[in-house]
Amino acid sequence: VAIVAVTAGLRGWDYWQKTTAARSGDDFLAALQQARDGNPDAALAAFQDLEKSGYGSYPVLARMSAATLLAKKGDAAAAISAFSSIGKDASQPVAIRDAARLRAAYLLVDNGTYADVLAEVEVLAVPANPARHSAREALGIAAFKAGDLKQAAQWFGDIAADNEAPNGVKT
């Protein structure tokens, strides 16, 4: 009887996980479609709802998508804040946090100062970090825009000297 009960419980749990994940996936795709169809307010509301009620990785994907949508709508300050918040959320995987920090930094290049960009991605610009190339690129562009050509040259030089830098960033 115990074996049957445990098996039934495991099957029930597996079914619940799959249906909940599928429902979150459907909601996520519906929100993406609303954004594509030119209904950004409805898409934003759907993403925000999914952030609260989604399952698995869908809440953080919804947070990232909502921030992207805010940027597309022209609300750079809200998008930067959202990406920065995700980048500082220790409960998220490192890759997601790094991507969010980079997104915030690239928005800050046009909507902030060099110091803002530095505060966002300096931690990523270290030799062992896989995101160092993009972080250095954002820092170099921000320094160039700020008129600090010496600092820009240093960041771009770090990219050029790194044998692991992708060609798209290196050139």
Side-chain angles (χ1 to χ4, degrees):
V1 172
I3 292 173
V4 171
V6 168
T7 302
L10 289 174
R11 294 278 185 197
W13 175 252
D14 185 51
Y15 174 78
W16 179 84
Q17 283 184 313
K18 286 179 182 177
T19 57
T20 304
R23 190 171 22 253
S24 290
D26 291 345
D27 292 346
F28 184 75
L29 291 175
L32 286 175
Q33 190 60 49
Q34 287 176 321
R36 279 188 221 113
D37 290 345
N39 196 350
D41 295 328
L44 191 56
F47 285 134
Q48 290 168 342
D49 184 50
L50 193 54
E51 287 176 43
K52 297 172 192 150
S53 64
Y55 180 78
S57 296
Y58 287 105
V60 72
L61 291 174
R63 285 176 72 188
M64 294 284 284
S65 298
T68 299
L69 194 55
L70 288 169
K72 285 182 182 178
K73 286 179 62 174
D75 193 350
I80 291 165
S81 176
F83 282 125
S84 185
S85 172
I86 296 165
K88 293 173 183 156
D89 185 350
S91 70
Q92 300 305 327
V94 172
I96 296 290
R97 292 194 320 252
D98 289 354
R101 284 178 174 271
L102 287 169
R103 294 292 309 273
Y106 279 113
L107 287 169
L108 283 166
V109 165
D110 291 326
N111 299 285
T113 65
Y114 172 73
D116 295 333
V117 177
L118 186 66
E120 198 64 51
V121 293
E122 183 179 30
V123 69
L124 304 179
V126 297
N129 193 302
R132 68 187 176 275
H133 315 298
S134 296
R136 290 171 180 168
E137 179 184 49
L139 288 162
I141 294 168
F144 180 80
K145 285 186 79 170
D148 189 347
L149 300 182
K150 183 178 178 184
Q151 186 64 61
Q154 181 181 340
W155 287 119
F156 294 136
D158 288 348
I159 294 170
D162 190 335
N163 291 332
E164 295 177 1
N167 286 334
V169 176
K170 209 172 207 178
T171 57

